[in-house]
Amino acid sequence: MPFMQRQQVCSRGQSSSHLLPLVLALLCLAVLPSRAAIEMPSNYKMPPQITKHPESVTVFSAEDFVMKCEASGIPPPSFSWTKDGKPFDPSDDSELNVTAESGSYVFFPLSNKMDILKPYQGKYVCYATNELGTAVSTEAILKTDVPPTQQKEKKVTVKSDEGSSIVLKCNPPQSSMEPTIHWMDPNMHHMELSKRVVIGKDGNLYFAHLILDDSRDDYTCNVQYIETRTIFAKEPITLKVNPSNSVLRNRRPHMMRPAERESTYNALRGQTVELECIVQGLPTPEITWLKKEGELDESRTFKKMFDRRLHINNVSESDSGEYQCIAKNTQGNAKHTYHLNVEAAPYWTEIPQSLIYAPGDSVRLDCAAEGTPSPTISWTKNGDEISGNDSGHAVIAENASMILNHVNFGDTAVYQCRASNKHGTILTNTYVYVLELPPQIITEDRKVYTVTEGQSASLECETFGSPKPEVTWESGTSYLLADPRVNSLNNGGLQIFKVSHDDAGFYTCSVQNANLSITAKLEVFNRTVILTPPKDLKVQPGTTAIFTCVGLSDTSLRTPQIQWRMNNQKLMESSSDEKYTFDGADFIITNVGPADEGIYTCEIISSLDQAEASATLTLCDRPDPPGLLQISDPKHREVSLSWTPGDDHKSAVQEYVIEFEDQGSEERGWEELKRVGGNQERAVLSLWPYMSYRFRVIAINEVGKSDPSKPSEIHSQPAEAPDNNPGDVRSESVEPDTLLITWEKMDKRNFNGPDFKYKVQWRRVVGSGPKWHESETTQPPIIVTDVGNFSAYEFKVQAINANGEGPEPDPVIGYSGEDVPLEAPMDVGLEILNSTTIKVRWAAIDRETVRGHLLGYKIHLTRKGSRGHHRGRRSREAESTVVEETGPNEEMKVISNLRPYSHYLLSVAVYNKKGEGPLSEPLPFDTMEGVPSPPTSLILDSPSETEMTLHWTPPAHPNGILTGYLLEYHRITESDDSPLQKIEIDDPKVTHFTLKGLDRHSQYRFYLKGLTKAGKGAPSIVTGATTLDGAPPSDISLSAGENLLNVSWEIHKRRRNVGFYIQYRRENDGSNWKKSEKVNSSQSFYQLRGLTPGSDYSLNFIYGNASFWETRIKTEGTEMAVVQASIATQGWFIGVVTALVLLLLILLILCFIRRSKGGKYSVKDKEDCPMDSEARPMKEETFGEYSDLEEKQTASQPSLCEENKMCSEDTLNFNGSSALTTELNLDESLASQISRPSEGPEVFHGLPDTSPLNPTTIPPTTNGMPNSITNLN
């Protein structure tokens, strides 16, 4: 086996010694066994190590005999063997085949005959040796055995009585192997086993008692040997059960296996123990297992064979003790006690390490083992006992550790530690390698360590050298080890516990007495924390549960991952059934069921640490209804009700609600009577007399209410006299000369008995004497007449029934009905306080004239109109009346919010519940003049940059005679300290005013107030600035298409609108300038149409008579080719023209002939005449128009293509629907217009908007075809 080491580590550093590569390899193997590695070169030396020990085996055929030993070492070790403690060389044995390769040695027999194996039985030990020592293997035992064979058997018939017990024996063949027993029928179907019929560990079939159905002739025991892969079917057994002629007698349990009361069971540590108790009895006994002075470990203990076997896995010494199996049935019990003794073969508790040492070092090899009984420790060197020459500095301590004092190169060897007791021997190999080499640091320099606060940081500084280098750590000027959180490790590293941000920085590791050091950087980040942990949830089945988990981690790290677990199992988002959904901080579980109950953990995982929090999901539901309602302990108006709680479904019952149903008033349904705590199962109920009850109980938990329980039996209460009288007895007399006595109806449940009535009594308070008038009724009210107006009466109402009267009621005083007051207040006067307020006074009214409860006074104020209007105008103004109310004891009232400068009438009346009395004599008065309301509108208009005109309308309410206006204004500044300018306008008829000399760069705020003699009114306020002179736009942006140009600009605020034009001309063709329509500067956008694709244009923006911006643009698309002037000199062109001329002559002749036959028609007639789209005759006029059009267009070809767009993409359509098809229907005058040279877009002003020749309505196309006269054909 090749040896590995990390290349980066072992290639670091320099050494003058030729042994350094070897030493580095060995040291890396010693101190870094778990690191990633590469294959070592084959010439490096290494002590031998056994990598595969020979194994003990029991062979049943020669093919199973293979003895193998593997070892590693550099140079490769040689192998030797001992058998039963004596040297044994397999290569010298002619009966054995030996395969010896590098690191491996195997031998096995050449023959397949079993009889040759007996001489090779024994104990084998393998030795692997090279120049650095000898490693020894563990002992391997070779045993031979003969495979089991089936003996000839006789068929057995067993007879027994019904109810008795029996054992059917299997008797498997003798073998060192443990068989597996199956009782089956000939069809290989397993016999049905039960507590009554079981298979014992001995393979026998045990019947606790027989039944008639047990009779059969095919009880077959099948014996399986797994090692030899064989199965033996025993001879079938016939069982005949004799029926019992009498009733079967039950029998108490009795042990069938083991038969004695106690037995001892010995086992070794780590084995599996199976204790067995098989019992007979009728009925079939039940078995329980107990451990005295302890409990059974459920994690390692379970029961088999219907509790007849107790199975204990991986036993240890602590499992020793007494175990009892107790069999019970109705007739008694039986017991068996097992005394379990667990001992242990030797096992290691400490194994010495293979290390490299420097000459002169003291070596301590600690070797410790335990077992029962305690093992004996012994040491050997290279497989031999330590000689007297070694005993000088080789000392074995009392604890079996071996100490080598002042080692030298001769102590390099492989040492064996053995531990032995009566149960076996174990062995371990440890090498001591003595070398001398200079120190080096393995750990890379400037390594960065990242941790979060609160974690532990381990800074590495791994060194090698012999003797072992001593290192020191430094960080700045502080002494690190003075901090109790800092610890220096044996391997040279530095460990810092509970790291904080203050620990971040650079740390230096230096080798003492050598110029070697490295630097490590420690970075500390904020730890990950959970801000909002998930909360425990209780949800109902089928609902949705949502856990929320919000965490925070260091922003310098990557975004943390949120992982959810259920009972420590990772959860993944469901794609099919959407069971689990992860939505940010929320974890959603839909359709919660019983399988979803458990502990849910939220893990927020960053690249350095993680935080977690857990919550429990509990499935709960409404409680089941209580049951078994019982009524007990009936007393006066009281009974006890008890019940049995239902299942609370994992949510404790918080309270119970007891409801009742009145059997005499079932229309009221079930009503709540009482509530008690959820821990109670009984309640004392207070009841009403003369009622029949049924009760039910509802349980409530945090999920909701249970269904109601089943109703209890009916319980009736006897009748009694009323307990109380009706409440709220009062007079509600409204009509004069009547007394209406009413009260609140009593609840039927308070009637307490049959024939319930109200007894009403009344008498006058003054002058009537003690006599009461009386009347009985079943419901309120009762009305008494002829009692006078507003007279005081005493009255009372008493509840009565057939069993008696209620308590004596207290009388109540009330009054008969009221009437309206008779008189108005006297001595009404007023005092004008200001233009909107007056003070009114009057004399108190005589209470006798009120004829009821005096509620107060009402002051009627009627506004007749404004003082400034003449009588006719005032009569047309709508009157308005305001009523002010006062209390019954007031004789003065101040009234505000009157309209100034108005005519009013004032009257005062008394009122009671019945209504108002007569009004006092009207008292006229006028309010004084007041300040006007604000002007109803204020609008700004700016005729120039320094002028502002204000327009307004007069106040809606002048509140007097308007004498003029006060205009105030000021310039708005940031400090708001501009002085206020004031202008007084004396003419009240003026409705506008112009201010001049204003600052054109400022905004102003204007205040306009109306004026009367009373003063200034409230202002109308408006803010604005003057309008600046208009100017052409700047910051113009252009965007060219194929046939158009988009022009956009920013609108100047406060600028007047001005008009400008855009002049444009196509370059390089000598065309004239064209001018757009007038464009307003307030538009911000304009589209110039009718351009030619792929052409360069010059643009000139004109305002007034001057240009304010010039530029050039190029339209998109492909430029159309111009017909070459030299085409007329081409021969082919002359031939074509000649042919066309001849064709035209022929057509002319034909047209004249048709014309002479059919007459002449005007163009208009032809246009109005319907034409066949497939066969259209060519009339003379049409031909003439066509010819003339063609001639004129050919003569003016450049102008037509450039200005009228006849050759543009808009008219080049080869799909049979070209706009030029329609041109043939135009009259001659229109065609002549088209042929004339154009001066601009106005050339098409006479065409209709839908004309195909109007450039503004031709849709843009992208055909990109060259200009050609062929389109006119």
Side-chain angles (χ1 to χ4, degrees), residues 360-480:
D361 284 352
S362 291
V363 177
R364 182 186 181 94
L365 302 179
D366 292 320
C367 182
E370 290 186 5
T372 306
S374 297
T376 301
I377 304 294
S378 62
W379 286 89
T380 58
K381 176 180 179 182
N382 294 329
D384 301 324
E385 294 184 3
I386 298 177
S387 65
N389 296 331
D390 296 324
S391 60
H393 66 281
V395 179
I396 298 178
E398 292 182 359
N399 60 355
S401 297
M402 189 172 73
I403 301 173
L404 301 175
N405 296 313
H406 307 293
V407 295
N408 53 43
F409 296 110
D411 291 318
T412 296
V414 181
Y415 295 83
Q416 291 80 34
C417 178
R418 285 182 175 82
S420 303
N421 68 5
K422 66 179 182 179
H423 300 297
T425 300
I426 55 175
L427 174 144
T428 182
N429 291 279
T430 303
Y431 66 75
V432 174
Y433 203 166
V434 181
L435 284 175
E436 187 174 22
L437 65 158
Q440 292 290 328
I441 298 180
I442 302 173
T443 305
E444 60 182 311
D445 193 12
R446 297 195 172 276
K447 189 174 181 180
V448 178
Y449 300 85
T450 55
V451 295
T452 59
E453 56 178 334
Q455 287 184 327
S456 295
S458 294
L459 310 184
E460 297 177 358
C461 185
E462 296 187 27
T463 61
F464 65 84
S466 184
K468 183 179 179 180
E470 297 290 335
V471 300
T472 58
W473 282 91
E474 296 177 352
S475 177
T477 58
S478 61
Y479 180 59
L480 295 176

Side-chain angles (χ1 to χ4, degrees), residues 592-724:
V592 175
D596 298 315
E597 284 189 301
I599 299 175
Y600 288 81
T601 302
C602 163
E603 296 178 343
I604 299 183
I605 306 170
S606 72
S607 56
L608 293 180
D609 66 344
Q610 71 178 52
E612 66 178 42
S614 299
T616 302
L617 176 62
T618 304
L619 203 63
C620 57
D621 207 345
R622 297 184 307 134
D624 289 343
L628 300 177
L629 271 65
Q630 292 184 348
I631 300 174
S632 60
D633 300 333
K635 298 178 182 178
H636 178 253
R637 298 193 185 185
E638 185 178 280
V639 295
S640 293
L641 179 68
S642 61
W643 59 88
T644 300
D647 189 349
D648 62 5
H649 293 290
K650 298 182 181 179
S651 178
V653 175
Q654 297 171 337
E655 61 179 347
Y656 290 99
V657 178
I658 297 99
E659 296 181 339
F660 74 95
E661 183 182 51
D662 183 2
Q663 300 304 295
S665 173
E666 293 186 1
E667 69 277 0
R668 299 183 66 160
W670 289 92
E671 302 176 67
E672 182 177 323
L673 180 61
K674 189 173 184 179
R675 290 180 178 239
V676 297
N679 58 347
Q680 298 188 37
E681 300 177 14
R682 183 183 184 90
V684 177
L685 307 178
S686 297
L687 306 179
W688 287 281
Y690 195 58
M691 278 182 61
S692 293
Y693 291 87
R694 283 202 310 167
F695 303 103
R696 71 181 186 183
V697 183
I698 298 173
I700 301 177
N701 62 11
E702 63 181 7
V703 179
K705 293 182 177 181
S706 71
D707 293 333
S709 67
K710 292 182 179 180
S712 69
E713 59 187 14
I714 296 177
H715 174 78
S716 298
Q717 286 289 109
E720 299 179 14
D723 296 324
N724 45 48

